Amino acid sequence: MRELVADLLVGRLVDWGVDTVFGLPADGDDGVVEAFARRQDRIRLLRVHHEEAAGLMASGYAKVTGRIGVCLATSGPGALRLLGGLYDAKLDHQPVLAVTENQEIRLLGTGFHHELQLEKVFDDVADYNVKVDVPLQVPAVVDIGIGHALARGTVSHITFPPGLEETAGDPSILALLTPTGTPPTAPLLTAGPGVPPDADLRRAAEVLNQGSRVALLVGAGALAAKAELRAVAERLASPIVKSLPGKAAVPDDDPLTTGCVGVLGTRPSEDALGGADTLLVVGTNFPWARSLPEPGRVRAVQLETDLARIGGSAAGTGTMLVGDAAETLRALLPLLQHKQDRGFLEAAQAGMTAWRRRMQELEDQTRDPIQPQYLMRVVDRHAAADAILASDSGVIATWTARHFDVRGRRDYLLSANLATMAAGLPYAIAAQWAHPGRRCIAVTGSDGFARVMGELLTAIRHRLPVKVVVSNASGLALPHSPGRAGSRATPDRWVWADFASFAAANGALGLRVERAAEVERAVRRAFAHPGPALVDVLVNPEEQPRPAMAGGA
């Protein structure tokens, strides 16, 4: 059997260890579909219902596995709809490869159906962006695209003209007509940046040792350095403050952490950063200046894996370290002095005790309509010790940030820098596909779920036991039922969208919850269900997040 260009593409992905591609091929893309079918023991094409979800799944897959995510779409509007997910990957520094179909070469410039210059459209989102014209290019551009994405934590894009995938893939004849060949490279993943020079480590240690109130600010770049973060924080008597993408860097119930910081964070984290005279910033370019001390008032040490990200933090940078977070912290630890004065850390811990008490007050299980804070705490109580929670952005992220604890082997996924809505369900599907033995939960608002509810059909089709919790705040006031002055409506006249019926009608378990007394039982039943399940919880539409204030809330 002759090898086609589609076989070259799919085979090269397999060589790089890619086992999943998320996408929505065109009806006529038989060559691509058949190429995946011929290697179905090594790689699978997971068909989705919307291309943006494919991009988000590729981004979520990269976040939850540390490997490259791959997505595929057809020409014209199909390719355009990938962009939301690809920008999520770009802004959160995740390696993703996008493969699209371009217009027929012979028709370019004629204004024909679906004609778009996709290499220009993708120029901003993709670090490596190339159009394939002949089979000879395929092995090399796949290698370069994957290499760029992995090395730089970014997006690569390759676009093919239609029909090329069913062209003979033997490049030998074309190779005779070109000045040089482009043989494939070894699919090799090299080690990370390692440890900074000794002089840099000593300079950083001097800054940290001289500080009397040292705080750690950690992000997603520190997720693989949990033990090392704790050891350094213990040595320096430092509270650990987390960005939201770094929520899983240390467990939320660890006595050394004050939780997250920023608009969705805690008051003790704000106080810890505000009271610090020295910062150790690990794996984050945290941008929210109002949550940080003025750069001239603190000394800062910043540790990053990529020199390009140094200095991007609103914390400012005094001493720079470029290296792997875990390895660098291990090398730094022996140079740090054990701080005898634990007052700064103890004050932060006392603040966290008060904060947690205030959060418990907001998790009122007696109120109807249901408080979203209570719903989130119920999810926390019944989620497995190794659960992966995928949170939507928006208001729902406040509830997951403050009322769901990452502990044990739990992971937490969210669209951090793009903060796009509707990422929760695609992330959870990607996580469930990558980790079939773990409980994967999408927590989404009603607006977010409505945007991607077709992807519940994807979970059902592929028999993925994803659990979806909808914090349904879609309550609308009926026109003939005005509420009191200044309010939206009286509670008994709110009308909610019914997502549970949609789930049940399509083969998933769908549960609708209207009273606080029903929440616990419904969540427990959904989490015990062996297949996809959705809990549609009607929450108080007028409950809004409160900023971090003195005393909590």
Side-chain angles (χ1 to χ4, degrees):
M1 180 182 297
R2 65 173 184 161
E3 187 174 45
L4 305 179
V5 169
D7 294 301
L8 283 178
L9 169 65
V10 175
R12 204 65 195 133
L13 294 176
V14 169
D15 290 341
W16 276 95
V18 175
D19 59 15
T20 304
V21 175
F22 304 94
L24 192 58
D27 294 338
D29 280 348
D30 294 337
V32 172
V33 174
E34 290 172 2
F36 279 103
R38 284 190 285 273
R39 289 174 171 82
Q40 61 182 329
D41 60 327
R42 304 281 302 279
I43 190 170
R44 291 284 302 277
L45 174 61
L46 194 150
R47 289 176 180 251
V48 303
H49 285 78
H50 194 284
E51 292 88 352
E52 184 177 10
L56 288 168
M57 288 179 196
S59 179
Y61 185 88
K63 291 178 180 182
V64 79
T65 65
R67 299 161 56 193
I68 190 164
V70 182
C71 56
L72 178 148
T74 185
S75 61
L80 293 179
R81 287 192 287 263
L82 285 177
L83 288 172
L86 296 181
Y87 271 106
D88 176 64
K90 175 183 178 176
L91 296 185
D92 283 355
H93 309 294
Q94 298 302 315
V96 168
L97 172 66
V99 179
T100 65
E101 182 182 72
N102 212 323
Q103 188 47 266
E104 168 63 54
I105 296 174
R106 291 169 295 184
L107 296 174
L108 289 177
T110 67
F112 191 67
H113 182 67
H114 278 184
E115 181 178 341
L116 294 172
Q117 296 186 51
L118 290 182
E119 66 273 23
K120 291 186 177 180
V121 171
F122 281 72
D123 191 53
D124 180 61
V125 74
D127 183 70
Y128 179 75
N129 180 28
V130 67
K131 179 164 69 79
V132 170
D133 292 319
V134 295
L136 183 64
Q137 293 174 261
V138 174
V141 299
V142 172
D143 290 348
I144 296 170
I146 291 177
H148 270 254
L150 289 171
R152 301 181 181 179
T154 190
V155 174
S156 290
H157 170 240
I158 303 172
T159 187
F160 292 79
L164 185 65
E165 73 277 359
E166 297 190 27
T167 304
D170 182 5
S172 57
I173 297 177
L174 283 170
L176 296 175
L177 305 177
T178 59
T180 184
T182 53
T185 61
L188 179 65
L189 302 179
T190 58
V195 179
D198 288 345
D200 291 351
L201 291 170
R202 288 194 295 271
R203 189 159 47 246
E206 181 180 1
V207 172
L208 297 171
N209 287 333
Q210 289 175 355
S212 59
R213 301 182 306 280
V214 183
L216 270 65
L217 174 59
V218 306
L223 290 173
K226 292 180 173 64
E228 292 80 7
L229 287 172
R230 288 201 85 263
V232 168
E234 185 66 42
R235 180 73 57 89
L236 295 174
S238 301
I240 301 174
V241 178
K242 302 181 290 186
S243 70
L244 191 53
K247 182 174 169 67
V250 293
D252 283 316
D253 58 359
D254 192 298
L256 291 173
T257 187
T258 54
C260 296
V261 69
V263 292
L264 310 182
T266 73
R267 180 67 194 191
S269 288
E270 301 274 346
D271 291 342
L273 293 180
D277 62 12
T278 308
L279 296 180
L280 172 56
V281 183
V282 183
T284 181
N285 53 358
F286 186 79
W288 302 103
R290 66 181 182 182
S291 296
L292 297 169
E294 296 179 8
R297 195 171 61 76
V298 296
R299 303 178 71 186
V301 175
Q302 186 176 1
L303 167 57
E304 270 289 357
T305 58
D306 187 347
L307 185 60
R309 298 177 198 168
I310 288 286
S313 171
T317 301
T319 302
M320 301 177 292
L321 296 174
V322 179
D324 176 80
E327 292 181 39
T328 301
L329 292 176
R330 280 198 298 270
L332 183 64
L333 184 62
L335 305 177
L336 300 177
Q337 299 169 1
H338 182 81
K339 294 196 181 296
Q340 301 297 324
D341 184 352
R342 319 288 284 183
F344 185 58
L345 174 60
E346 290 169 356
Q349 291 171 330
M352 274 306 290
T353 299
W355 174 267
R356 291 189 178 105
R357 187 163 52 243
R358 178 61 178 140
M359 291 300 100
Q360 289 173 0
E361 293 171 359
L362 294 174
E363 296 160 4
D364 188 344
Q365 61 183 332
T366 65
R367 290 176 58 184
D368 287 314
I370 299 162
Q371 292 300 100
Q373 298 96 324
Y374 170 60
L375 168 62
M376 204 62 250
R377 184 55 65 191
V378 172
V379 172
D380 172 66
R381 282 203 297 265
H382 292 285
D386 65 348
I388 301 172
L389 185 130
S391 173
D392 258 2
S393 296
V395 172
I396 195 68
T398 305
W399 313 139
T400 61
R402 293 179 175 177
H403 302 276
F404 179 86
D405 291 338
V406 174
R407 57 181 181 272
R409 292 178 51 236
R410 288 179 176 179
D411 285 314
Y412 180 86
L413 305 177
L414 139 132
S415 174
N417 291 301
L418 185 62
T420 184
M421 293 187 68
L425 179 54
Y427 279 5
I429 289 173
Q432 193 71 79
W433 184 267
H435 298 288
R438 296 176 67 177
R439 174 69 47 74
C440 297
I441 306 164
V443 177
T444 176
S446 43
D447 289 346
F449 182 72
R451 284 167 167 81
V452 292
M453 58 194 298
E455 298 313 319
L456 184 62
L457 305 179
T458 301
I460 294 168
R461 173 196 290 171
H462 295 285
R463 300 180 181 178
L464 297 173
V466 170
K467 313 306 175 190
V468 183
V469 178
V470 182
S471 181
N472 189 342
S474 66
L476 300 174
L478 295 179
H480 62 275
S481 177
R484 63 188 180 277
S487 71
R488 295 173 61 178
T490 53
D492 61 338
R493 300 303 295 171
W494 282 330
V495 178
W496 280 267
D498 186 354
F499 299 119
S501 294
F502 168 76
N506 288 283
L509 175 65
L511 303 174
R512 186 172 174 87
V513 180
E514 301 182 5
R515 296 286 181 265
E518 305 165 357
V519 172
E520 193 106 25
R521 182 172 62 254
V523 170
R524 188 167 54 242
R525 181 183 171 192
F527 285 7
H529 184 68
L534 180 143
V535 187
D536 183 11
V537 184
L538 279 54
V539 300
N540 184 357
E542 295 188 338
E543 182 67 16
Q544 294 297 316
R546 297 167 173 83
M549 299 180 298

